[in-house]
Short mmCIF file of all heavy atoms in Angstrom, two decimals:
data_model
loop_
_atom_site.label_atom_id
_atom_site.label_comp_id
_atom_site.label_asym_id
_atom_site.label_seq_id
_atom_site.Cartn_x
_atom_site.Cartn_y
_atom_site.Cartn_z
N SER A 29 -14.89 4.11 -15.43
CA SER A 29 -14.56 3.47 -16.69
C SER A 29 -14.89 1.98 -16.64
O SER A 29 -15.17 1.45 -15.62
CB SER A 29 -13.10 3.73 -17.02
OG SER A 29 -12.23 2.85 -16.40
N LEU A 30 -14.82 1.40 -17.75
CA LEU A 30 -15.19 -0.01 -17.89
C LEU A 30 -14.32 -0.91 -17.05
O LEU A 30 -14.80 -1.84 -16.36
CB LEU A 30 -15.08 -0.44 -19.36
CG LEU A 30 -15.53 -1.86 -19.71
CD1 LEU A 30 -17.02 -2.02 -19.32
CD2 LEU A 30 -15.35 -2.08 -21.21
N LEU A 31 -13.01 -0.63 -17.00
CA LEU A 31 -12.12 -1.44 -16.20
C LEU A 31 -12.46 -1.40 -14.70
O LEU A 31 -12.53 -2.39 -14.01
CB LEU A 31 -10.69 -0.95 -16.38
CG LEU A 31 -9.60 -1.73 -15.60
CD1 LEU A 31 -9.60 -3.19 -15.97
CD2 LEU A 31 -8.28 -1.10 -15.83
N PHE A 32 -12.72 -0.18 -14.17
CA PHE A 32 -13.12 -0.04 -12.77
C PHE A 32 -14.44 -0.78 -12.50
O PHE A 32 -14.60 -1.39 -11.44
CB PHE A 32 -13.21 1.42 -12.38
CG PHE A 32 -11.89 1.99 -12.02
CD1 PHE A 32 -11.06 2.60 -12.93
CD2 PHE A 32 -11.41 1.93 -10.66
CE1 PHE A 32 -9.88 3.16 -12.56
CE2 PHE A 32 -10.21 2.50 -10.33
CZ PHE A 32 -9.43 3.09 -11.26
N ASN A 33 -15.38 -0.65 -13.41
CA ASN A 33 -16.65 -1.38 -13.21
C ASN A 33 -16.44 -2.86 -13.18
O ASN A 33 -17.10 -3.56 -12.35
CB ASN A 33 -17.63 -0.99 -14.34
CG ASN A 33 -18.12 0.41 -14.23
OD1 ASN A 33 -18.05 1.04 -13.17
ND2 ASN A 33 -18.62 0.96 -15.36
N GLU A 34 -15.57 -3.39 -14.02
CA GLU A 34 -15.32 -4.83 -14.00
C GLU A 34 -14.64 -5.29 -12.69
O GLU A 34 -14.98 -6.30 -12.12
CB GLU A 34 -14.54 -5.28 -15.19
CG GLU A 34 -15.33 -5.20 -16.50
CD GLU A 34 -16.56 -6.05 -16.50
OE1 GLU A 34 -16.52 -7.22 -16.02
OE2 GLU A 34 -17.64 -5.55 -16.92
N ILE A 35 -13.70 -4.50 -12.25
CA ILE A 35 -12.98 -4.81 -11.02
C ILE A 35 -13.97 -4.74 -9.83
O ILE A 35 -13.95 -5.61 -8.96
CB ILE A 35 -11.79 -3.89 -10.76
CG1 ILE A 35 -10.70 -4.15 -11.83
CG2 ILE A 35 -11.21 -4.02 -9.38
CD1 ILE A 35 -9.59 -3.06 -11.87
N ALA A 36 -14.84 -3.74 -9.88
CA ALA A 36 -15.87 -3.58 -8.79
C ALA A 36 -16.76 -4.84 -8.76
O ALA A 36 -17.08 -5.30 -7.64
CB ALA A 36 -16.61 -2.31 -9.01
N LYS A 37 -17.17 -5.28 -9.93
CA LYS A 37 -18.01 -6.50 -9.90
C LYS A 37 -17.21 -7.70 -9.38
O LYS A 37 -17.77 -8.47 -8.58
CB LYS A 37 -18.38 -6.83 -11.37
CG LYS A 37 -19.45 -5.93 -11.92
CD LYS A 37 -19.79 -6.32 -13.33
CE LYS A 37 -20.69 -5.31 -13.99
NZ LYS A 37 -20.97 -5.55 -15.39
N LEU A 38 -16.00 -7.89 -9.79
CA LEU A 38 -15.20 -9.02 -9.31
C LEU A 38 -14.98 -8.93 -7.80
O LEU A 38 -14.85 -10.00 -7.14
CB LEU A 38 -13.87 -9.10 -10.07
CG LEU A 38 -13.92 -9.48 -11.53
CD1 LEU A 38 -12.57 -9.29 -12.17
CD2 LEU A 38 -14.40 -10.95 -11.68
N GLU A 39 -14.77 -7.74 -7.27
CA GLU A 39 -14.46 -7.60 -5.85
C GLU A 39 -15.75 -7.33 -5.01
O GLU A 39 -15.65 -7.10 -3.81
CB GLU A 39 -13.50 -6.43 -5.65
CG GLU A 39 -12.12 -6.60 -6.29
CD GLU A 39 -11.35 -7.74 -5.62
OE1 GLU A 39 -11.48 -7.92 -4.39
OE2 GLU A 39 -10.59 -8.43 -6.32
N ASN A 40 -16.95 -7.41 -5.63
CA ASN A 40 -18.21 -7.21 -4.97
C ASN A 40 -18.23 -5.83 -4.27
O ASN A 40 -18.72 -5.72 -3.14
CB ASN A 40 -18.48 -8.32 -3.97
CG ASN A 40 -18.70 -9.62 -4.65
OD1 ASN A 40 -19.40 -9.70 -5.70
ND2 ASN A 40 -18.10 -10.68 -4.13
N ILE A 41 -17.76 -4.82 -4.96
CA ILE A 41 -17.77 -3.45 -4.42
C ILE A 41 -19.09 -2.81 -4.91
O ILE A 41 -19.42 -2.89 -6.09
CB ILE A 41 -16.56 -2.63 -4.94
CG1 ILE A 41 -15.28 -3.34 -4.51
CG2 ILE A 41 -16.62 -1.20 -4.39
CD1 ILE A 41 -14.02 -2.76 -5.19
N SER A 42 -19.77 -2.17 -4.06
CA SER A 42 -21.05 -1.53 -4.39
C SER A 42 -21.18 -0.20 -3.65
O SER A 42 -20.37 0.10 -2.72
CB SER A 42 -22.22 -2.41 -4.07
OG SER A 42 -22.27 -2.67 -2.69
N VAL A 43 -22.17 0.54 -4.01
CA VAL A 43 -22.45 1.87 -3.37
C VAL A 43 -23.86 1.72 -2.76
O VAL A 43 -24.85 1.44 -3.41
CB VAL A 43 -22.41 3.03 -4.41
CG1 VAL A 43 -22.79 4.30 -3.78
CG2 VAL A 43 -21.07 3.08 -5.07
N SER A 44 -23.91 2.01 -1.48
CA SER A 44 -25.20 1.92 -0.79
C SER A 44 -25.99 3.20 -1.01
O SER A 44 -25.42 4.26 -1.40
CB SER A 44 -25.01 1.74 0.73
OG SER A 44 -24.41 2.88 1.33
N ASP A 45 -27.30 3.13 -0.79
CA ASP A 45 -28.11 4.29 -0.90
C ASP A 45 -27.70 5.38 0.10
O ASP A 45 -27.71 6.58 -0.24
CB ASP A 45 -29.57 3.95 -0.67
CG ASP A 45 -30.21 3.12 -1.77
OD1 ASP A 45 -29.66 3.11 -2.92
OD2 ASP A 45 -31.25 2.44 -1.54
N GLU A 46 -27.23 4.95 1.21
CA GLU A 46 -26.78 5.89 2.28
C GLU A 46 -25.52 6.61 1.78
O GLU A 46 -25.41 7.85 1.97
CB GLU A 46 -26.48 5.16 3.59
CG GLU A 46 -26.05 6.05 4.68
CD GLU A 46 -25.78 5.24 5.97
OE1 GLU A 46 -26.78 4.75 6.52
OE2 GLU A 46 -24.63 5.17 6.40
N GLU A 47 -24.56 5.90 1.14
CA GLU A 47 -23.37 6.55 0.62
C GLU A 47 -23.74 7.53 -0.47
O GLU A 47 -23.17 8.69 -0.55
CB GLU A 47 -22.41 5.50 0.09
CG GLU A 47 -21.78 4.67 1.10
CD GLU A 47 -20.96 3.45 0.47
OE1 GLU A 47 -21.54 2.73 -0.39
OE2 GLU A 47 -19.77 3.37 0.80
N LEU A 48 -24.65 7.15 -1.30
CA LEU A 48 -25.08 8.02 -2.41
C LEU A 48 -25.74 9.29 -1.84
O LEU A 48 -25.44 10.40 -2.27
CB LEU A 48 -26.01 7.29 -3.38
CG LEU A 48 -26.51 8.13 -4.55
CD1 LEU A 48 -25.38 8.62 -5.40
CD2 LEU A 48 -27.47 7.24 -5.38
N ASP A 49 -26.65 9.14 -0.91
CA ASP A 49 -27.33 10.25 -0.33
C ASP A 49 -26.38 11.22 0.35
O ASP A 49 -26.51 12.46 0.23
CB ASP A 49 -28.45 9.78 0.63
CG ASP A 49 -29.60 9.16 -0.02
OD1 ASP A 49 -29.79 9.29 -1.26
OD2 ASP A 49 -30.30 8.42 0.69
N LYS A 50 -25.40 10.68 1.06
CA LYS A 50 -24.42 11.48 1.72
C LYS A 50 -23.56 12.30 0.76
O LYS A 50 -23.36 13.55 0.96
CB LYS A 50 -23.51 10.62 2.61
CG LYS A 50 -22.53 11.37 3.44
CD LYS A 50 -21.69 10.37 4.25
CE LYS A 50 -20.66 11.11 5.07
NZ LYS A 50 -19.86 10.17 5.88
N GLU A 51 -23.17 11.66 -0.31
CA GLU A 51 -22.36 12.33 -1.34
C GLU A 51 -23.17 13.42 -2.06
O GLU A 51 -22.69 14.55 -2.27
CB GLU A 51 -21.85 11.37 -2.36
CG GLU A 51 -20.84 11.94 -3.33
CD GLU A 51 -19.40 12.03 -2.79
OE1 GLU A 51 -19.15 11.45 -1.76
OE2 GLU A 51 -18.60 12.60 -3.47
N ILE A 52 -24.40 13.12 -2.37
CA ILE A 52 -25.27 14.13 -3.04
C ILE A 52 -25.58 15.32 -2.12
O ILE A 52 -25.61 16.48 -2.57
CB ILE A 52 -26.57 13.43 -3.58
CG1 ILE A 52 -26.25 12.52 -4.74
CG2 ILE A 52 -27.66 14.44 -3.92
CD1 ILE A 52 -27.41 11.76 -5.30
N GLN A 53 -25.67 15.05 -0.85
CA GLN A 53 -25.91 16.10 0.07
C GLN A 53 -24.67 17.04 0.16
O GLN A 53 -24.84 18.24 0.32
CB GLN A 53 -26.17 15.54 1.48
CG GLN A 53 -26.65 16.59 2.53
CD GLN A 53 -27.98 17.22 2.15
OE1 GLN A 53 -28.93 16.56 1.71
NE2 GLN A 53 -28.05 18.56 2.33
N LEU A 54 -23.50 16.49 0.03
CA LEU A 54 -22.28 17.30 -0.03
C LEU A 54 -22.33 18.28 -1.17
O LEU A 54 -21.90 19.44 -1.08
CB LEU A 54 -21.03 16.38 -0.14
CG LEU A 54 -20.67 15.62 1.10
CD1 LEU A 54 -19.49 14.63 0.79
CD2 LEU A 54 -20.32 16.50 2.25
N TYR A 55 -22.79 17.78 -2.38
CA TYR A 55 -22.91 18.64 -3.53
C TYR A 55 -23.90 19.80 -3.21
O TYR A 55 -23.63 20.97 -3.59
CB TYR A 55 -23.41 17.87 -4.75
CG TYR A 55 -22.36 17.10 -5.50
CD1 TYR A 55 -22.09 15.80 -5.17
CD2 TYR A 55 -21.59 17.70 -6.49
CE1 TYR A 55 -21.13 15.05 -5.87
CE2 TYR A 55 -20.65 17.01 -7.19
CZ TYR A 55 -20.38 15.67 -6.84
OH TYR A 55 -19.43 15.00 -7.52
N LYS A 56 -25.02 19.47 -2.59
CA LYS A 56 -26.01 20.52 -2.28
C LYS A 56 -25.43 21.55 -1.37
O LYS A 56 -25.59 22.76 -1.65
CB LYS A 56 -27.23 19.87 -1.59
CG LYS A 56 -28.29 20.93 -1.26
CD LYS A 56 -29.47 20.31 -0.49
CE LYS A 56 -30.51 21.43 -0.23
NZ LYS A 56 -31.54 21.01 0.60
N ASN A 57 -24.71 21.14 -0.35
CA ASN A 57 -24.11 22.10 0.54
C ASN A 57 -23.00 22.90 -0.10
O ASN A 57 -22.90 24.09 0.06
CB ASN A 57 -23.57 21.40 1.82
CG ASN A 57 -24.73 20.74 2.60
OD1 ASN A 57 -25.83 21.12 2.50
ND2 ASN A 57 -24.32 19.74 3.36
N TYR A 58 -22.13 22.23 -0.89
CA TYR A 58 -21.01 22.94 -1.52
C TYR A 58 -21.49 24.00 -2.49
O TYR A 58 -20.92 25.07 -2.53
CB TYR A 58 -20.12 21.89 -2.21
CG TYR A 58 -18.89 22.51 -2.80
CD1 TYR A 58 -17.74 22.78 -1.99
CD2 TYR A 58 -18.78 22.80 -4.13
CE1 TYR A 58 -16.62 23.36 -2.49
CE2 TYR A 58 -17.67 23.37 -4.66
CZ TYR A 58 -16.57 23.65 -3.90
OH TYR A 58 -15.43 24.23 -4.44
N TYR A 59 -22.42 23.62 -3.29
CA TYR A 59 -22.93 24.54 -4.31
C TYR A 59 -24.15 25.41 -3.88
O TYR A 59 -24.72 26.13 -4.71
CB TYR A 59 -23.31 23.78 -5.60
CG TYR A 59 -22.07 23.23 -6.29
CD1 TYR A 59 -21.78 21.86 -6.24
CD2 TYR A 59 -21.16 24.06 -6.93
CE1 TYR A 59 -20.65 21.34 -6.86
CE2 TYR A 59 -20.05 23.53 -7.55
CZ TYR A 59 -19.81 22.16 -7.47
OH TYR A 59 -18.66 21.63 -8.10
N HIS A 60 -24.51 25.28 -2.61
CA HIS A 60 -25.58 26.11 -2.04
C HIS A 60 -26.88 26.02 -2.89
O HIS A 60 -27.47 27.01 -3.23
CB HIS A 60 -25.16 27.56 -1.87
CG HIS A 60 -23.87 27.72 -1.10
ND1 HIS A 60 -23.84 27.53 0.26
CD2 HIS A 60 -22.63 28.04 -1.50
CE1 HIS A 60 -22.60 27.73 0.69
NE2 HIS A 60 -21.83 28.04 -0.38
N MET A 61 -27.30 24.81 -3.22
CA MET A 61 -28.44 24.59 -4.03
C MET A 61 -29.73 24.75 -3.24
O MET A 61 -29.85 24.31 -2.12
CB MET A 61 -28.45 23.14 -4.63
CG MET A 61 -27.38 22.83 -5.54
SD MET A 61 -27.54 21.13 -6.15
CE MET A 61 -25.91 20.80 -6.77
N ASP A 62 -30.73 25.43 -3.86
CA ASP A 62 -32.02 25.43 -3.24
C ASP A 62 -32.69 24.05 -3.49
O ASP A 62 -32.17 23.25 -4.23
CB ASP A 62 -32.92 26.58 -3.80
CG ASP A 62 -33.11 26.52 -5.29
OD1 ASP A 62 -33.40 25.42 -5.80
OD2 ASP A 62 -32.98 27.50 -6.00
N ASP A 63 -33.81 23.84 -2.83
CA ASP A 63 -34.48 22.53 -2.91
C ASP A 63 -34.85 22.10 -4.30
O ASP A 63 -34.70 21.00 -4.69
CB ASP A 63 -35.69 22.46 -1.97
CG ASP A 63 -35.25 22.48 -0.49
OD1 ASP A 63 -34.15 22.16 -0.18
OD2 ASP A 63 -36.12 22.81 0.33
N THR A 64 -35.32 23.07 -5.13
CA THR A 64 -35.79 22.80 -6.50
C THR A 64 -34.55 22.37 -7.33
O THR A 64 -34.60 21.38 -8.03
CB THR A 64 -36.43 23.97 -7.12
OG1 THR A 64 -37.61 24.32 -6.26
CG2 THR A 64 -36.97 23.67 -8.49
N THR A 65 -33.49 23.13 -7.23
CA THR A 65 -32.27 22.78 -8.00
C THR A 65 -31.71 21.48 -7.57
O THR A 65 -31.31 20.66 -8.36
CB THR A 65 -31.25 23.91 -7.79
OG1 THR A 65 -31.82 25.20 -8.19
CG2 THR A 65 -29.98 23.64 -8.57
N PHE A 66 -31.76 21.25 -6.23
CA PHE A 66 -31.25 20.03 -5.68
C PHE A 66 -31.99 18.82 -6.20
O PHE A 66 -31.38 17.79 -6.58
CB PHE A 66 -31.22 20.05 -4.15
CG PHE A 66 -30.75 18.81 -3.47
CD1 PHE A 66 -29.48 18.42 -3.62
CD2 PHE A 66 -31.63 18.05 -2.71
CE1 PHE A 66 -28.99 17.27 -3.04
CE2 PHE A 66 -31.17 16.89 -2.10
CZ PHE A 66 -29.85 16.52 -2.27
N GLU A 67 -33.32 18.93 -6.24
CA GLU A 67 -34.13 17.74 -6.69
C GLU A 67 -33.83 17.49 -8.17
O GLU A 67 -33.72 16.31 -8.55
CB GLU A 67 -35.57 18.03 -6.51
CG GLU A 67 -36.02 17.92 -5.06
CD GLU A 67 -35.67 16.58 -4.41
OE1 GLU A 67 -35.89 15.54 -5.03
OE2 GLU A 67 -35.23 16.67 -3.27
N GLY A 68 -33.58 18.48 -9.02
CA GLY A 68 -33.26 18.33 -10.37
C GLY A 68 -31.87 17.67 -10.51
O GLY A 68 -31.68 16.76 -11.32
N PHE A 69 -30.95 18.13 -9.67
CA PHE A 69 -29.63 17.59 -9.68
C PHE A 69 -29.65 16.12 -9.27
O PHE A 69 -29.01 15.23 -9.97
CB PHE A 69 -28.72 18.34 -8.69
CG PHE A 69 -27.31 17.76 -8.53
CD1 PHE A 69 -26.33 18.08 -9.43
CD2 PHE A 69 -27.07 16.98 -7.49
CE1 PHE A 69 -25.07 17.57 -9.29
CE2 PHE A 69 -25.75 16.40 -7.32
CZ PHE A 69 -24.79 16.73 -8.25
N LYS A 70 -30.42 15.80 -8.26
CA LYS A 70 -30.52 14.42 -7.83
C LYS A 70 -31.04 13.49 -8.92
O LYS A 70 -30.53 12.37 -9.15
CB LYS A 70 -31.46 14.30 -6.59
CG LYS A 70 -30.82 14.00 -5.31
CD LYS A 70 -31.79 14.09 -4.18
CE LYS A 70 -32.43 12.78 -3.86
NZ LYS A 70 -33.15 12.75 -2.62
N THR A 71 -32.06 13.99 -9.60
CA THR A 71 -32.70 13.22 -10.70
C THR A 71 -31.71 12.98 -11.82
O THR A 71 -31.59 11.89 -12.33
CB THR A 71 -33.98 13.93 -11.16
OG1 THR A 71 -34.87 14.08 -10.08
CG2 THR A 71 -34.65 13.15 -12.26
N GLU A 72 -31.03 14.02 -12.21
CA GLU A 72 -30.17 13.98 -13.38
C GLU A 72 -28.81 13.41 -13.12
O GLU A 72 -28.22 12.73 -14.04
CB GLU A 72 -29.99 15.38 -14.00
CG GLU A 72 -31.23 16.00 -14.53
CD GLU A 72 -31.05 17.43 -15.01
OE1 GLU A 72 -29.83 17.76 -15.35
OE2 GLU A 72 -32.03 18.16 -15.13
N LYS A 73 -28.26 13.56 -11.97
CA LYS A 73 -26.86 13.20 -11.73
C LYS A 73 -26.63 12.06 -10.79
O LYS A 73 -25.46 11.70 -10.53
CB LYS A 73 -26.10 14.45 -11.23
CG LYS A 73 -26.09 15.62 -12.17
CD LYS A 73 -25.35 15.25 -13.41
CE LYS A 73 -25.27 16.45 -14.38
NZ LYS A 73 -24.54 16.15 -15.58
N SER A 74 -27.65 11.45 -10.25
CA SER A 74 -27.45 10.35 -9.25
C SER A 74 -26.59 9.24 -9.77
O SER A 74 -25.68 8.74 -9.07
CB SER A 74 -28.78 9.81 -8.78
OG SER A 74 -29.40 10.65 -7.94
N ASN A 75 -26.83 8.82 -11.01
CA ASN A 75 -26.01 7.71 -11.59
C ASN A 75 -24.56 8.14 -11.76
O ASN A 75 -23.62 7.33 -11.49
CB ASN A 75 -26.59 7.25 -12.93
CG ASN A 75 -27.81 6.38 -12.75
OD1 ASN A 75 -27.98 5.72 -11.69
ND2 ASN A 75 -28.64 6.34 -13.76
N ASP A 76 -24.32 9.40 -12.14
CA ASP A 76 -22.92 9.86 -12.30
C ASP A 76 -22.22 9.89 -10.95
O ASP A 76 -21.07 9.45 -10.86
CB ASP A 76 -22.93 11.31 -12.92
CG ASP A 76 -23.38 11.35 -14.31
OD1 ASP A 76 -23.38 10.26 -15.02
OD2 ASP A 76 -23.80 12.39 -14.80
N VAL A 77 -22.93 10.38 -9.92
CA VAL A 77 -22.32 10.46 -8.61
C VAL A 77 -22.06 9.03 -8.07
O VAL A 77 -21.03 8.75 -7.53
CB VAL A 77 -23.24 11.25 -7.60
CG1 VAL A 77 -22.71 11.19 -6.20
CG2 VAL A 77 -23.36 12.72 -8.09
N LYS A 78 -23.02 8.09 -8.28
CA LYS A 78 -22.85 6.73 -7.87
C LYS A 78 -21.64 6.12 -8.53
O LYS A 78 -20.86 5.43 -7.89
CB LYS A 78 -24.13 5.95 -8.17
CG LYS A 78 -24.10 4.53 -7.60
CD LYS A 78 -25.45 3.90 -7.80
CE LYS A 78 -25.50 2.57 -7.08
NZ LYS A 78 -26.84 1.93 -7.16
N ASN A 79 -21.48 6.35 -9.82
CA ASN A 79 -20.32 5.81 -10.55
C ASN A 79 -19.01 6.42 -10.02
O ASN A 79 -17.98 5.68 -9.95
CB ASN A 79 -20.46 6.03 -12.02
CG ASN A 79 -21.50 5.13 -12.66
OD1 ASN A 79 -21.76 4.04 -12.21
ND2 ASN A 79 -22.15 5.62 -13.74
N GLU A 80 -19.02 7.67 -9.67
CA GLU A 80 -17.77 8.28 -9.13
C GLU A 80 -17.44 7.66 -7.78
O GLU A 80 -16.27 7.39 -7.50
CB GLU A 80 -18.02 9.83 -8.97
CG GLU A 80 -16.84 10.50 -8.35
CD GLU A 80 -15.55 10.31 -9.16
OE1 GLU A 80 -15.57 10.23 -10.38
OE2 GLU A 80 -14.47 10.26 -8.48
N ILE A 81 -18.41 7.42 -6.91
CA ILE A 81 -18.15 6.79 -5.64
C ILE A 81 -17.63 5.38 -5.89
O ILE A 81 -16.67 4.95 -5.19
CB ILE A 81 -19.44 6.73 -4.83
CG1 ILE A 81 -19.94 8.12 -4.43
CG2 ILE A 81 -19.19 5.89 -3.52
CD1 ILE A 81 -21.35 8.11 -3.85
N LEU A 82 -18.24 4.64 -6.79
CA LEU A 82 -17.75 3.31 -7.12
C LEU A 82 -16.29 3.31 -7.61
O LEU A 82 -15.52 2.45 -7.16
CB LEU A 82 -18.71 2.66 -8.13
CG LEU A 82 -18.46 1.17 -8.44
CD1 LEU A 82 -18.75 0.36 -7.19
CD2 LEU A 82 -19.31 0.74 -9.62
N ARG A 83 -15.96 4.22 -8.47
CA ARG A 83 -14.57 4.34 -8.96
C ARG A 83 -13.61 4.66 -7.77
O ARG A 83 -12.51 4.06 -7.69
CB ARG A 83 -14.44 5.39 -10.04
CG ARG A 83 -14.93 4.95 -11.42
CD ARG A 83 -14.53 5.93 -12.50
NE ARG A 83 -15.23 7.21 -12.37
CZ ARG A 83 -16.45 7.48 -12.87
NH1 ARG A 83 -17.10 6.53 -13.54
NH2 ARG A 83 -16.98 8.66 -12.74
N ARG A 84 -14.00 5.56 -6.94
CA ARG A 84 -13.19 5.93 -5.81
C ARG A 84 -12.96 4.74 -4.88
O ARG A 84 -11.81 4.47 -4.46
CB ARG A 84 -13.80 7.06 -5.07
CG ARG A 84 -12.97 7.72 -4.03
CD ARG A 84 -13.63 8.90 -3.30
NE ARG A 84 -14.60 9.64 -4.11
CZ ARG A 84 -15.78 10.01 -3.67
NH1 ARG A 84 -16.20 9.79 -2.44
NH2 ARG A 84 -16.52 10.68 -4.51
N LYS A 85 -14.05 4.01 -4.55
CA LYS A 85 -13.91 2.82 -3.69
C LYS A 85 -13.07 1.76 -4.34
O LYS A 85 -12.27 1.11 -3.65
CB LYS A 85 -15.34 2.29 -3.36
CG LYS A 85 -16.12 3.18 -2.40
CD LYS A 85 -17.56 2.69 -2.20
CE LYS A 85 -17.54 1.46 -1.33
NZ LYS A 85 -18.92 1.02 -0.99
N THR A 86 -13.18 1.60 -5.62
CA THR A 86 -12.42 0.57 -6.34
C THR A 86 -10.95 0.95 -6.33
O THR A 86 -10.06 0.11 -6.11
CB THR A 86 -12.95 0.37 -7.77
OG1 THR A 86 -14.35 0.02 -7.72
CG2 THR A 86 -12.21 -0.69 -8.54
N ALA A 87 -10.65 2.24 -6.61
CA ALA A 87 -9.27 2.67 -6.60
C ALA A 87 -8.65 2.52 -5.21
O ALA A 87 -7.49 2.08 -5.11
CB ALA A 87 -9.23 4.17 -7.01
N ASN A 88 -9.46 2.81 -4.20
CA ASN A 88 -8.92 2.60 -2.83
C ASN A 88 -8.56 1.17 -2.55
O ASN A 88 -7.56 0.86 -1.92
CB ASN A 88 -9.85 3.17 -1.80
CG ASN A 88 -9.91 4.69 -1.78
OD1 ASN A 88 -8.96 5.34 -2.21
ND2 ASN A 88 -11.04 5.25 -1.31
N ILE A 89 -9.46 0.24 -2.98
CA ILE A 89 -9.18 -1.17 -2.80
C ILE A 89 -7.92 -1.58 -3.55
O ILE A 89 -7.10 -2.32 -2.98
CB ILE A 89 -10.41 -2.06 -3.29
CG1 ILE A 89 -11.60 -1.79 -2.41
CG2 ILE A 89 -10.03 -3.48 -3.34
CD1 ILE A 89 -11.66 -2.50 -1.17
N LEU A 90 -7.78 -1.14 -4.77
CA LEU A 90 -6.58 -1.42 -5.56
C LEU A 90 -5.32 -0.90 -4.85
O LEU A 90 -4.27 -1.61 -4.84
CB LEU A 90 -6.68 -0.87 -6.98
CG LEU A 90 -7.72 -1.60 -7.86
CD1 LEU A 90 -7.93 -0.76 -9.14
CD2 LEU A 90 -7.41 -2.97 -8.14
N LEU A 91 -5.38 0.33 -4.40
CA LEU A 91 -4.22 0.88 -3.69
C LEU A 91 -3.90 0.12 -2.39
O LEU A 91 -2.74 -0.13 -2.13
CB LEU A 91 -4.45 2.36 -3.43
CG LEU A 91 -4.43 3.30 -4.59
CD1 LEU A 91 -4.93 4.65 -4.22
CD2 LEU A 91 -3.05 3.31 -5.24
N ASP A 92 -4.93 -0.21 -1.65
CA ASP A 92 -4.76 -0.97 -0.40
C ASP A 92 -4.12 -2.33 -0.65
O ASP A 92 -3.26 -2.80 0.14
CB ASP A 92 -6.07 -1.12 0.37
CG ASP A 92 -6.55 0.25 0.93
OD1 ASP A 92 -5.74 1.16 1.01
OD2 ASP A 92 -7.73 0.29 1.33
N ASN A 93 -4.54 -2.99 -1.73
CA ASN A 93 -4.07 -4.31 -2.01
C ASN A 93 -2.71 -4.30 -2.71
O ASN A 93 -2.10 -5.34 -2.84
CB ASN A 93 -5.08 -5.07 -2.94
CG ASN A 93 -6.31 -5.48 -2.16
OD1 ASN A 93 -6.32 -5.59 -0.95
ND2 ASN A 93 -7.40 -5.65 -2.91
N ASN A 94 -2.25 -3.14 -3.09
CA ASN A 94 -0.95 -3.06 -3.77
C ASN A 94 0.24 -3.03 -2.78
O ASN A 94 1.35 -3.23 -3.16
CB ASN A 94 -0.89 -1.78 -4.59
CG ASN A 94 0.30 -1.74 -5.58
OD1 ASN A 94 0.70 -2.80 -6.03
ND2 ASN A 94 0.78 -0.60 -5.86
N ASN A 95 -0.05 -2.87 -1.49
CA ASN A 95 1.02 -2.77 -0.50
C ASN A 95 1.39 -4.12 0.06
O ASN A 95 1.00 -5.07 0.20
CB ASN A 95 0.62 -1.84 0.65
CG ASN A 95 0.52 -0.42 0.14
OD1 ASN A 95 1.26 -0.04 -0.76
ND2 ASN A 95 -0.39 0.33 0.69
#
């Protein structure tokens, strides 16, 4: 969401290509995608997956800083 994106910017939280590739590989394995399906998924959903990782990392930072 917009709030998480703004907090991520302020806290300099980002998603590396390695983190994105690792997460996308998890989807491939979980859903047993063949290579063609996987390439289509990567092309279509990379930004969504990256945003999900960013939200998760931002939420973790917020929770860690709340203690």
